[in-house]
Every structure is written in C-alpha cells, then in structure tokens.
C-alpha cells in the first residue's frame, strides 16, 4: 500500500502499487508520500504516540507539506486504526482538521491513558490477599 499526493492540488490518494499508479496517470504530478502499513491503534502510551507523531511530521516534511495543518491531520487520520480510529471519529471537527490540535489531543489521550493504566493508578483496585481456607 502506498499513499501518494497530487502535487498540484495536495490531495491524498491510496494506491496498492505506486509504479502502476503513475503509469495509469502519467499526465498527473504525483509524489510518493509513504509506503508503509504503519497504523497507530492507541496502545503503548507516551512512547508510541510520540513515535507516531514524529513519523507523521517526517512524512509531511518529505512531502513539502509540513506547514499545512489540515493536510497533515488528514494524512495522520489515514494511519489510525482500532481504538484510535474510533476515538478520532468522535473528536470535534475542528480538532480533526487541525494538526496542531490533533497532535495535542493524541498526546493528551494516549499519554494519559498509559498513566491511568499503570499499576499505581486509581483505575486498578487494590484487593486484599485471599486467606487460605483449610
């Protein structure tokens, strides 16, 4: 799977084979943005979310779109899966369409989620050790 961008209008497209795609549309000016199956599912806490954000930033820079907040937000959304995908669907549209807001929301949601699920958090109940019955 490859993600390509129409350099003239900035639209993202999916292609299963970039070479075949370019042969089918030789008159268009396309660039390969990423050839990856990377998906962020919302697991892994701070480390995974920061790696995901860095990946998206690098790909935006490579596509000469690092200042286009809406384009980057759309691109990032194509790499969400599972719980992160469902979470994204429920975000306010203003957050979905602005990379600055989206990356802050990602960090808040998935860094906080990891902290909330750590053994020392209140999310886990502390139960007494069962007594052995003879």
């Amino acid at each position: 799977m490859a993600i390509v961008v129409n350099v003239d209008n900035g639209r993202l497209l999916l292609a299963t084979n970039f070479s075949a795609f370019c042969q089918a549309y030789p008159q268009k000016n396309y660039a390969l943005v990423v050839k990856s199956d990377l998906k962020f599912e919302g697991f892994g806490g701070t480390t995974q979310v920061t790696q995901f954000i860095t990946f998206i930033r690098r790909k935006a820079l490579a596509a000469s779109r690092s200042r286009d907040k809406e384009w980057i937000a759309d691109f990032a959304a194509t790499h969400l899966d599972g719980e992160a995908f469902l979470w994204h669907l429920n975000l306010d549209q203003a957050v979905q369409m602005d990379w600055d807001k989206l990356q802050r929301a990602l960090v808040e949601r998935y860094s906080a989620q990891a902290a909330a699920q750590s053994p020392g958090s209140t999310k886990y109940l502390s139960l007494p050790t069962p007594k052995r019955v003879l």
Side-chain angles (χ1 to χ4, degrees), residues 5 8 55 64 66 84 90 109 114:
V5 62
D8 298 325
F55 170 82
S64 299
S66 62
N90 291 308
R109 165 72 178 189

Side-chain angles (χ1 to χ4, degrees), residues 1 3 12 14 33-42 52 55-56 59 72-82 84-85:
M1 181 65 65
I3 298 175
L12 289 174
L14 295 176
V33 176
V34 64
K35 184 175 181 180
S36 172
D37 291 325
L38 172 82
K39 293 290 181 185
F40 179 71
E41 296 180 354
F52 174 71
F55 170 82
I56 296 298
K59 296 305 176 183
I72 300 170
D74 287 343
F75 177 72
T78 67
H79 290 283
L80 298 176
D81 203 6
F85 175 81

Side-chain angles (χ1 to χ4, degrees), residues 37 67 101:
D37 291 325
R67 301 285 181 230
K101 292 176 183 176

Side-chain angles (χ1 to χ4, degrees), residues 104-126:
R104 282 193 296 271
L106 282 161
V107 168
E108 183 178 311
R109 165 72 178 189
Y110 295 106
S111 292
Q113 183 181 33
Q117 292 176 354
S118 67
S121 75
T122 57
K123 186 167 185 164
Y124 287 87
L125 296 175
S126 179

Side-chain angles (χ1 to χ4, degrees), residues 37-58:
D37 291 325
L38 172 82
K39 293 290 181 185
F40 179 71
E41 296 180 354
F43 304 110
T46 303
T47 301
Q48 292 299 316
V49 75
T50 56
Q51 287 177 352
F52 174 71
I53 289 170
T54 301
F55 170 82
I56 296 298
R57 286 179 177 178
R58 286 182 182 153

